Amino acid sequence: RPAVETAVYFVISEAVANAAKHASPAMVEVTVAHQRFDRVLATITDDGPGGADPFGTGLTGLSRRVAAVDGDLTVHSPIGGPTVVSASVPCG
């Protein structure tokens, strides 16, 4: 589905751009995997200082985009890092 592909691409590109802009990480890792029940999981991890606000405008926008294709976005970013942004979306 083109809408799903677009949403996953957008999440990855925005999460990497946000990490580079705000976290100055030495490493950013992107993984994309097929999940059970015809879903795809995109995970973006950076080794920056953490503290990303999942309710900030950027991450809220990503969450809305993923929700528009019946997906879920999670953000785990404790102080001290790492930050992990994951999007799980249906691909079938």
Side-chain angles (χ1 to χ4, degrees), residues 34-48:
H34 184 261
Q35 294 180 294
R36 295 183 302 167
F37 310 115
D38 288 328
R39 294 181 74 83
V40 65
L41 175 66
T43 304
I44 304 88
T45 304
D46 74 66
D47 66 351

Side-chain angles (χ1 to χ4, degrees), residues 2 7 9 15 23 45 49-50 59 64-65 69 76 82 90:
Y9 174 83
T45 304
L59 291 172
R64 281 194 307 266
R65 180 163 300 231
V69 292
H76 182 72

Side-chain angles (χ1 to χ4, degrees), residues 7 14 19-21 26 30 32 34-35 42 47 49 56 60 71 76-77 79-80 86:
E14 286 297 308
K21 181 177 179 181
V30 175
V32 179
H34 184 261
Q35 294 180 294
D47 66 351
T60 300
H76 182 72
S77 186
I79 299 299
S86 298

